[in-house]
Amino acid sequence: MSLSVYVILNNLLMPTLSSRENLTSYKQQVAQRFDRAAVTYDVYARFQQQVLERLFQVLPMIKVDSVLDLGTGTGRAIPLLRSLFSPDRLVAMDLSQQMLSQARMAAPSQATSFICADAEALPFVDEAFDLVLSSLALQWCLCPDVLFDGLYRAVKPGGYIVFSTLCHGSMPQIDQAWKGLDDNIHVNQYATYTSLLEQVGKGGWTIDDAVLEPITMWFDSPEEAVDSIKKVGAGLVRGQASKGMSPSKWRAFLRQYAQLRQTAGVPLSYQVAFIVAQKAC
């Protein structure tokens, strides 16, 4: 069984890519992974749904005319945004064409624009949105400076970015289960919560609300825990880790992971940051 479906890419702290070709290749790989998972996403995205619901709890109650749902996926946030704000303009953007296709089918009668684009190369005029919402998408970006600078330009004075993202310490059970089996990196090396806040501040944003919350999901088996990553498109590997592995090593990993079972089941834990930041008026 290939290792590539089980290893998550290092995101905010990924090593610098050496060329534009490598950058383009990486983004293409991300899009392809999510393209393949578009049909299965909603079935397996319990964690993503829980995070989205929590993110809506920190949304500021403001007058909103234009909204960008950045990394919309299958469009789960679209009806919630419409219900809460009734914006004149709602744009749903994603790197994956197939995710956008699923989102269109889920909201066929709603006046929403769907755009396939990269969060680090926003295709909008300056000061286009009152609010940018993004749930568990920004960790796929490579350059925080580019990301938060671009978002700052895209938001109107006094507007907000409200987002969730993974931080250091996520998925420790997978890392623990692999220890002793090989020397490869099998989990993301995400930004620490402190460095994430610094990255946002460097973009010119004023942080109005920020919290780091641990979330643990429970599964009947290690296979189901891993599927919760793979089946939503979040599995990606680069370099030597992309090589296949023997079935015996994979079975050894599953045995190690199964030993972490508790009364509630097999755990998979995340450290999730919820950030509300405002652009100066």
Side-chain angles (χ1 to χ4, degrees), residues 7-277:
V7 183
I8 310 304
L9 196 102
N10 175 1
N11 299 313
L12 285 176
L13 293 184
M14 178 182 294
T16 302
L17 296 176
S18 60
S19 68
R20 184 175 297 274
E21 289 78 11
N22 285 337
L23 175 60
T24 300
S25 174
Y26 163 70
K27 291 301 179 73
Q28 288 174 343
Q29 290 178 63
V30 173
Q32 289 168 0
R33 293 283 176 170
F34 284 101
D35 279 347
R36 293 169 189 162
V39 175
T40 59
Y41 183 92
D42 285 335
V43 175
Y44 290 89
R46 287 194 298 121
F47 168 66
Q48 287 75 13
Q49 181 64 27
Q50 184 171 328
V51 171
L52 180 63
E53 291 172 358
R54 177 69 180 90
L55 185 61
F56 267 80
Q57 295 176 11
V58 303
L59 275 172
M61 293 298 100
I62 58 174
K63 170 64 176 176
V64 171
D65 293 323
S66 55
V67 180
L68 172 62
D69 180 12
L70 182 60
T72 188
T74 58
R76 289 183 169 192
I78 294 174
L80 300 174
L81 289 168
R82 287 216 166 273
S83 175
L84 192 60
F85 294 113
S86 299
D88 295 331
R89 183 187 182 209
L90 176 55
V91 178
M93 184 180 128
D94 203 276
L95 194 61
S96 165
Q97 286 281 12
Q98 293 305 314
M99 286 288 185
L100 288 173
S101 295
Q102 294 295 315
R104 288 190 188 94
M105 288 190 290
S109 62
Q110 298 181 4
T112 303
S113 301
F114 295 90
I115 296 178
C116 187
D118 184 353
E120 293 173 283
L122 296 173
F124 307 110
V125 299
D126 291 353
E127 301 180 2
F129 300 101
D130 299 295
L131 170 68
V132 175
L133 179 89
S134 183
S135 189
L136 296 177
L138 300 189
Q139 65 258 26
W140 294 105
C141 295
L142 301 176
C143 305
D145 291 345
V146 173
L147 171 67
F148 291 113
D149 286 349
L151 288 169
Y152 196 85
R153 290 192 298 272
V155 171
K156 298 176 183 179
Y160 288 84
I161 56 170
V162 179
F163 69 94
S164 61
T165 192
L166 300 184
C167 286
H168 177 74
S170 293
M171 296 176 284
Q173 295 86 3
I174 292 179
D175 184 51
Q176 183 178 346
W178 276 112
K179 283 183 177 178
L181 296 178
D182 63 33
D183 296 325
N184 293 328
I185 295 175
H186 293 276
V187 296
N188 294 14
Q189 305 301 303
Y190 294 108
T192 65
Y193 180 60
T194 300
S195 65
L196 173 64
L197 296 181
E198 292 174 353
Q199 292 161 1
V200 176
K202 286 179 181 178
W205 298 94
T206 298
I207 297 176
D208 285 359
D209 189 17
V211 63
L212 180 67
E213 295 188 4
I215 297 177
T216 299
M217 308 300 293
W218 300 94
F219 302 90
D220 291 336
S221 68
E223 291 91 339
E224 288 189 12
V226 172
D227 277 348
S228 75
I229 301 169
K230 179 186 67 172
K231 298 292 187 179
V232 299
L236 187 60
V237 64
R238 297 175 69 239
Q240 65 176 0
S242 64
K243 299 176 182 178
M245 71 164 65
S246 68
S248 61
K249 181 181 283 190
W250 179 245
R251 289 193 296 269
F253 162 73
L254 293 177
R255 287 193 298 270
Q256 291 294 110
Y257 198 173
Q259 293 179 17
L260 303 179
R261 180 184 296 276
Q262 301 178 31
T263 302
V266 175
L268 184 57
S269 302
Y270 298 89
Q271 296 291 328
V272 186
F274 297 89
I275 310 292
V276 178

